[in-house]
Amino acid sequence: MTDPARSATTARHHPMLWPVLATLLIIGWSSGFVGIRYASQEASVMLLLFWRTLISGIILLPFALAIGPRIQLDALKGQALFGIMSVFLYLGGFALAIEQKVPTGLVALIADLLPLAIAALSHPVLGERLSARQWQGTAIAVAGVLIVSLDSLSFGTAPAWAYGLTIASMIIFAGASVVYRRRKTPHMPVHQSLCIHMLTGSVLFGLCAWTQGSLVPPISSKFAIGMAWLVLIATYLAYAVYYTSLRLFPAAKVSAAIYLSPPVTMLWAWILFSEPLTLTMLTGLALTLIGVWMTSQD
């Protein structure tokens, strides 16, 4: 794991590093909506996740084998575990909840409370204490997310375990993020760890999709566009920047940027799909920006 003192030095010497990484993270994290919007019209969620992770992992595989240290078995096992937690259980849990008719707006809201869970875990696990100002920023950011999500919230008629699944999936990813930050295994370049995470997820998603039917992808332009977007932006950009940021900055600071995912997703929808942009949404966006700025201050 990157030494905290070294990380702090890096951040001090490069004052624009965090703003650039945070911007890329927000773009990548929120863009998943676009790819899913295109691809899910042509395939089930599990089939979509199978091809997303498989393509992502296969493209990275030759680079993972040729560039960087030789991957040891212990490191492979450790990264595969992270893949199960941060890819299969996180993405798959939300996908299953949606299939069980948990309203999408509620699932999105619970997913976007991830930074709050990471902030809560950071102190007892990592010893990274948030200041009073940062906790105030967290509260403001959560309020902004709630305002943005207000119009799409409903409780639906899904079984009780499906609602619990959404919360469990979010907490699992928060735990994986904190453990990734704390881990004491030898350093592994992001392209190698991400390759292992994606291929691990693809095996498990493939088994789930296979039980539902064929693994053959639909041949259509919408599926191809959606898959390209999911692989290049929602996977490579989002996950690579997220893992890189976790090595350099406190986990709560990194995850705080994700609070901006709902309002930025709203902007994606407005620009690409002409979905309505209301004053309430803009108010939530402004409030979230203020909260994230306060939380990001050291």
Side-chain angles (χ1 to χ4, degrees):
M1 182 175 72
T2 304
D3 179 66
R6 182 180 176 184
S7 299
T9 300
T10 301
R12 285 198 301 270
H13 288 174
H14 301 84
M16 289 304 297
L17 180 60
W18 171 240
V20 170
L21 288 175
T23 299
L24 293 174
L25 178 60
I26 293 163
I27 292 172
W29 211 267
S30 63
S31 69
F33 164 81
V34 178
I36 292 174
R37 176 73 175 264
Y38 278 107
S40 63
Q41 299 177 43
E42 308 289 333
S44 68
V45 175
M46 287 300 170
L47 185 62
L48 184 157
L49 291 174
F50 165 64
W51 282 104
R52 171 185 176 177
T53 52
L54 180 64
I55 293 171
S56 300
I58 287 178
I59 292 174
L60 286 175
L61 185 58
F63 300 99
L65 295 175
I67 304 173
R70 184 174 180 179
I71 300 175
Q72 303 296 324
L73 182 59
D74 286 346
L76 177 62
K77 291 178 180 178
Q79 293 297 338
L81 179 60
F82 282 123
I84 293 172
M85 296 173 68
S86 64
V87 177
F88 178 67
L89 293 178
Y90 178 61
L91 296 177
F94 288 125
L96 182 57
I98 291 173
E99 285 189 340
Q100 291 296 316
K101 308 304 181 184
V102 176
T104 304
L106 183 59
V107 172
L109 175 62
I110 294 172
D112 291 319
L113 293 180
L114 168 69
L116 185 60
I118 291 179
L121 290 172
S122 291
H123 177 55
V125 178
L126 299 175
E128 297 176 353
R129 185 188 298 272
L130 269 67
S131 65
R133 178 187 177 90
Q134 288 174 317
W135 276 117
Q136 290 170 359
T138 296
I140 292 172
V142 170
V145 170
L146 287 171
I147 291 172
V148 170
S149 306
L150 198 59
D151 291 339
S152 62
L153 283 183
S154 61
F155 287 96
T157 57
W161 64 264
Y163 294 96
L165 183 62
T166 60
I167 298 173
S169 297
M170 180 268 290
I171 293 175
I172 286 170
F173 189 85
S177 299
V178 172
V179 172
Y180 187 88
R181 168 77 176 166
R182 184 186 181 183
R183 75 199 190 290
K184 298 179 180 179
T185 55
H187 169 73
M188 179 181 287
V190 171
H191 69 282
Q192 289 184 324
S193 59
L194 187 56
C195 176
I196 296 171
H197 296 180
M198 291 298 125
L199 290 179
T200 301
S202 72
V203 172
L204 298 172
F205 284 131
L207 290 173
C208 293
W210 178 69
T211 62
Q212 297 178 346
S214 173
L215 295 180
V216 177
I219 308 301
S220 70
S221 59
K222 286 185 177 180
F223 185 81
I225 291 171
M227 195 54 56
W229 196 287
L230 286 171
V231 170
L232 297 176
I233 302 180
T235 298
Y236 289 161
L237 181 62
Y239 275 87
V241 172
Y242 185 69
Y243 289 141
T244 299
S245 299
L246 280 179
R247 290 175 175 173
L248 299 175
F249 299 97
K253 179 175 182 175
V254 174
S255 64
I258 297 175
Y259 282 127
L260 282 168
S261 179
V264 174
T265 296
M266 165 196 74
L267 294 177
W268 281 117
W270 176 60
I271 294 169
L272 296 175
F273 307 115
S274 300
E275 294 191 3
L277 191 62
T278 67
L279 181 60
T280 300
M281 292 176 176
L282 291 174
T283 301
L285 171 59
L287 203 58
T288 306
L289 279 169
I290 294 170
V292 170
W293 176 78
M294 291 177 63
T295 306
S296 297
Q297 303 303 302
D298 296 323

